[in-house]
Amino acid sequence: MRYAKRGRLRFTSHRDISRAVERAVRRAGIPVAYSAGFSPHPKISYAGAAPTGVASEAEYLEIGVTAPCDPEQVRSDLDGSLPPGLDVLDVVEAGPGGLADRLEVSDWEVRLPGADRELAEVAVEKFLAAGTVEVERLTKKGPRRFDARGAVLGLTVSEGTERTAAQVQRGPCVILRMVVRHMTPAVRPDDVLTGLRLVADFAPPVPPEVTRLAQGPLDASTGALADPLDLDRDTTRGGEAGPAGEHVGG
């Protein structure tokens, strides 16, 4: 299942989103499967979740079910049971293979209101020319240093047209588009911005507005992102399908 996290919902924590999805599944009447044991939990798993404060058009989850379900009916019922801003976009019946393994790269849009485009272009050139750009981030295990450059497959600069009156008042808006490979530790857009500051002293005047546009497998021949649910769609169209009713998800 692919869903979007939009507007004010981008500030919702992953735990709160999980609770909202569980409640919506019950309201929608989806026959969700539960784990065994003393404290059973609904079989809902998340893959590649975006950080709190980041909007996304490409979040993914899987739901285990106990009976066959129509994917489009699940999409409609679940979308209607979720709050505005958590929007279910696509549901397929899961075929063989793990979803998480297909999420290899993410395509990000980073809007920098009030930033100078020329300075941004210089910073991007220096970042891409660097062999490594070590950044530091505070993690649950304390400060950690890692290379932010190696994960970046593409980084470009453009100047956007402001979309609201409030954005117009803030002046020009520089847009960074970055394609970042999923690695351990994960390299996030804010890590790339830290790298731009380190290599060229480039720092946006206000907090960035970050949106994940897509995530999925990388097409080695074209360098483009593919839809991670396409393999499941191909299976249900005539390939060898998995056990009926085992999962609805993607």
Side-chain angles (χ1 to χ4, degrees):
M1 178 181 301
R2 178 169 69 95
Y3 68 97
K5 184 175 63 166
R6 296 166 171 160
R8 296 174 62 185
L9 268 295
R10 69 187 185 277
F11 298 111
T12 305
S13 70
H14 178 64
R15 177 175 295 181
D16 286 338
I17 288 176
S18 298
R19 290 172 179 166
V21 170
E22 289 181 16
R23 289 195 296 267
V25 165
R26 290 195 296 269
R27 285 196 295 267
I30 297 172
V32 61
Y34 282 80
S35 61
F38 182 75
S39 179
H41 298 282
K43 289 188 175 181
I44 303 174
S45 59
Y46 299 81
T52 302
V54 172
S56 178
E57 294 295 313
E59 298 297 281
Y60 291 90
L61 62 82
E62 292 180 292
I63 302 176
V65 295
T66 59
C69 298
D70 175 64
E72 177 54 29
Q73 189 66 50
V74 170
R75 189 207 64 76
S76 177
D77 291 346
L78 190 57
D79 185 59
S81 299
L82 284 166
L86 287 180
D87 304 316
V88 182
L89 306 177
D90 197 4
V91 176
V92 299
E93 182 177 349
L99 172 64
D101 294 336
R102 305 175 198 170
L103 305 182
E104 299 174 347
V105 295
S106 285
D107 183 4
W108 301 93
E109 177 188 84
V110 182
R111 298 177 67 87
L112 306 174
D116 184 280
R117 178 171 178 171
E118 291 185 3
L119 295 178
E121 289 175 340
V122 170
V124 166
E125 288 177 1
K126 290 184 177 181
F127 182 90
L128 293 176
T132 60
V133 179
E134 283 203 345
V135 302
E136 184 175 282
R137 188 205 308 152
L138 184 63
T139 69
K140 294 180 180 179
K141 297 182 179 180
R144 183 167 186 178
R145 293 189 64 84
F146 54 91
D147 175 30
R149 172 64 187 91
V152 178
L153 304 179
L155 181 59
T156 60
V157 183
S158 62
E159 192 164 13
T161 302
E162 296 299 352
R163 295 171 290 189
T164 68
Q167 290 173 330
V168 170
Q169 290 177 358
R170 286 183 291 183
C173 178
V174 169
I175 297 177
L176 301 181
R177 284 288 298 272
M178 55 184 73
V179 178
V180 182
R181 186 185 300 276
H182 296 181
M183 301 177 67
T184 303
V187 174
R188 307 184 310 204
D190 57 305
D191 298 320
V192 178
L193 292 177
T194 298
L196 295 178
R197 177 175 56 81
L198 292 175
V199 300
D201 198 28
F202 173 75
V206 298
E209 302 167 5
V210 183
T211 301
R212 173 151 55 193
L213 303 177
Q215 62 172 324
L218 186 66
D219 188 323
S221 61
T222 64
L225 274 72
D227 185 342
L229 303 186
D230 277 349
L231 288 175
D232 300 302
R233 271 186 275 270
D234 290 343
T235 296
T236 57
R237 285 172 183 164
E240 182 180 351
E246 182 176 348
H247 287 89
V248 168

